[in-house]
Amino acid sequence: MTQPAVFNAYSRYYDLLYRDKDYPGEAAYIHSLLTRHGVSQGDLLEFGSGTGKHGRLLAGLGYRVHGIERSSEMVAQSSQTGDFTCQQGDICAIDLGRTYAAVLSLFHVISYQTTNAAAQAVFARAAAHLEPGALFVFDVWYSPAVYAQRPVVRVKRMADDQIEITRLAEPVIYPNKNRIDVNYTVFVQDRASGAVETLTETHPMRHFSLPELDLLAAGAGFERLAAEEFLTGHTPGEATWGVCLVLRRVDAANGLLPA
Ligand SMILES: C[S@@+](CC[C@H](N)C(=O)[O-])C[C@H]1O[C@@H](n2cnc3c(N)ncnc32)[C@H](O)[C@@H]1O
């Protein structure tokens, strides 16, 4: 199954599955990270905006956010407000013909770009939407933690008043590709009838090291300003599954931009 199809099926249950995720806390963290690096207002471009949760919260914090999301169902489920809009699109190819104060890509969207070509394309598309000095902020799976902790089988259960979801996540490790394929089996039970629907999906996830991210950054005309554990700000290490990077588009006028 290709990734867009995966997310189209998944999107029906996505918000329920991640109801326990602290999106307000994450939006506040991103706001503080942006502010620390000089962006406290203005227009943000969000790569892989999902159902728009971060985007709407950041709009509530004073930004105008436009999301690009490959899954048309995710886009359809995103309620758009004046300051949060989104459109269907591929972040490896998007060209909006304008620049933003920052490009964001949150909740491992960059890790869904599993090949070098896809990762390079996303970095290039981010750079194309930023003036020199502007920021690219994203989080990824971090290789040292993936190897130290090794992904394991996990079960997650969530319910609302209509359905109960049980999700089994079974990882397959590809050590020579820096990739983990997470095979999900999702059982969705209708509480009224007891009927069960079963979905199976594979999410291929790339993990990255800092030297690898620095190469990707330099290749697209960025320099790294920060790398820290997502939310805590701690120095990344073997316990840091999700590392957050702040890159700055290098100023061509200073002669720092690669030719
Ligand atoms: C784990 S979800 C995160 C969604 C959202 N950022 C959030 O925090 O809820 C990953 C998202 O990235 C999107 N995505 C992955 N690759 C993409 C691509 N090449 N272009 C656009 N969206 C992509 C998927 O469709 C999916 O919605």
Side-chain angles (χ1 to χ4, degrees):
M1 186 185 273
T2 63
Q3 277 189 50
V6 163
F7 270 101
N8 279 342
Y10 213 61
S11 63
R12 276 179 281 161
Y13 312 113
Y14 186 84
D15 283 347
L16 178 55
L17 271 169
Y18 291 108
R19 194 177 56 188
D20 55 345
K21 189 169 161 63
D22 181 13
Y23 280 95
E26 293 182 8
Y29 164 71
I30 293 298
H31 179 42
S32 74
L33 203 57
L34 289 171
T35 302
R36 208 191 312 158
H37 293 96
V39 177
S40 54
Q41 57 182 8
D43 291 5
L44 307 178
L45 179 61
E46 188 185 358
F47 279 180
S49 47
T51 54
K53 290 189 143 189
H54 288 119
R56 281 190 298 278
L57 287 159
L58 286 163
L61 292 171
Y63 300 94
R64 277 181 307 278
V65 186
H66 185 67
I68 305 298
E69 169 54 53
R70 187 164 55 184
S71 157
S72 50
E73 288 191 15
M74 290 276 203
V75 172
Q77 286 180 30
S78 304
S79 48
Q80 302 191 35
T81 63
D83 286 336
F84 172 72
T85 54
C86 60
Q87 68 180 72
Q88 197 274 336
D90 181 355
I91 58 173
C92 296
I94 193 74
D95 182 3
L96 298 177
R98 56 157 293 189
T99 55
Y100 291 80
V103 173
L104 308 177
S105 194
L106 303 174
F107 198 11
H108 314 147
V109 173
I110 299 299
S111 281
Y112 280 88
Q113 318 312 313
T114 53
T115 63
N116 283 343
Q120 284 174 311
V122 171
F123 275 61
R125 290 297 82 212
H129 291 88
L130 297 169
E131 300 290 343
L135 304 178
F136 180 27
V137 177
F138 59 90
D139 62 308
V140 286
W141 282 21
Y142 190 48
S143 297
V146 170
Y147 288 127
Q149 298 175 32
R150 292 184 72 81
V152 292
V153 174
R154 292 180 194 278
V155 177
K156 182 167 186 174
R157 293 192 177 83
M158 297 299 281
D160 63 15
D161 49 5
Q162 290 172 351
I163 56 172
E164 282 179 16
I165 297 181
T166 305
R167 188 188 70 178
L168 190 62
E170 297 172 289
V172 179
I173 299 169
Y174 296 95
N176 296 325
K177 294 182 187 291
N178 286 12
R179 198 182 93 211
I180 313 293
D181 283 2
V182 185
N183 293 312
Y184 288 115
T185 308
V186 186
F187 303 98
V188 185
Q189 182 164 42
D190 180 79
R191 297 181 76 148
S193 69
V196 177
E197 181 186 6
T198 306
L199 291 171
T200 56
E201 306 181 328
T202 299
H203 291 208
M205 302 296 293
R206 168 96 175 248
H207 50 84
F208 295 89
S209 65
L210 281 185
E212 201 182 354
L213 289 165
D214 285 344
L215 266 183
L216 283 164
F222 287 106
E223 65 177 356
R224 170 155 60 92
L225 298 183
E228 60 181 47
E229 185 172 60
F230 190 74
L231 279 180
T232 69
H234 294 157
T235 302
E238 291 183 341
T240 312
W241 198 279
V243 70
C244 184
L245 270 83
V246 181
L247 306 183
R248 177 167 58 196
R249 181 93 169 95
V250 175
D251 185 352
N254 288 342
L256 295 171
L257 200 60

